Amino acid sequence: MRVHHLNAATLCPASARLVNGRGGLFERARLVCHVLVVETSTGLLLVDTGLGRDDLATPSRLGRTWLRQVSPRLDQAEPVVAQLARIGATANDVRAIVLTHLDLDHAGGIADFPRATIHVHTRELEAASQGLGTRSNVRYVHDQWRHGPIWSTFEDGNDRWFGFEGVRTLGETKDEVLLVPLRGHSTGHTGVALRSCDRWLLHAGDGYFFHGQVETPPHAPRILRAFQRRSDVDTAARAANQERLRALVESHEDEVTLFCAHDALEFDRLRGDLQTQPE
């Protein structure tokens, strides 16, 4: 599979030093919304969507609290649908979207691809639809899916992958795409593993926020740690999965490339890594 790494929204919260771990105390931080565009045997597959065109057209629907906290750039060139032309594709070429979870900065672009099937964990869709979970009034924006998406929900599977249990194969394509349970940040949070070239890529979503959290010893800027705890539905489960991700890096770094949704340093490294074949 050919994999393209896109930033589908730049977020600029206060204090680069306290969010990115480097830069000025009063300088704006830089976070990304890391989306994958995957060329599979049956068409394009997206992993997450970032923000969409409707979010940029009506940013008030994202909520004053979220807008104030993260200060999104709202750049019209950043939605995935606006970037597809660079790889010779259109919205109609996107056949499937796999969401790590339904937080507003991960699911905002699904309306830009009305023909795509949206894959999400059953518990995640239930929680979002019912407004359940920590700070649910901030994290879920129902307007992002009021167009009536083609949902395809999934449960945990019976497979194992590098020590992770409950894994299942995405049935949408014949290519190797695995759904890896990573609960804690949200009710049905799920990582997505892809076999590309001679190694695996694991998009861990919000399983962690900062590259240092999967290093040994783990470390992360203060503000990110605080925000992570506030947004967890199950901090113990998230911490346990974070420890397993750290063990994955320690034991299988030569086989698996791990990254999360918002770390700009990880994103920049992958965009320059020819092994992942960025556009």
Side-chain angles (χ1 to χ4, degrees), residues 5 50 72 148 159 171 259:
H5 297 267
D159 297 332
F259 52 94

Side-chain angles (χ1 to χ4, degrees), residues 10 88 109 153 167 177 229 231 246:
T10 300
T153 58
V167 177
V177 181
R229 288 192 298 271
S231 58
R246 186 159 50 250

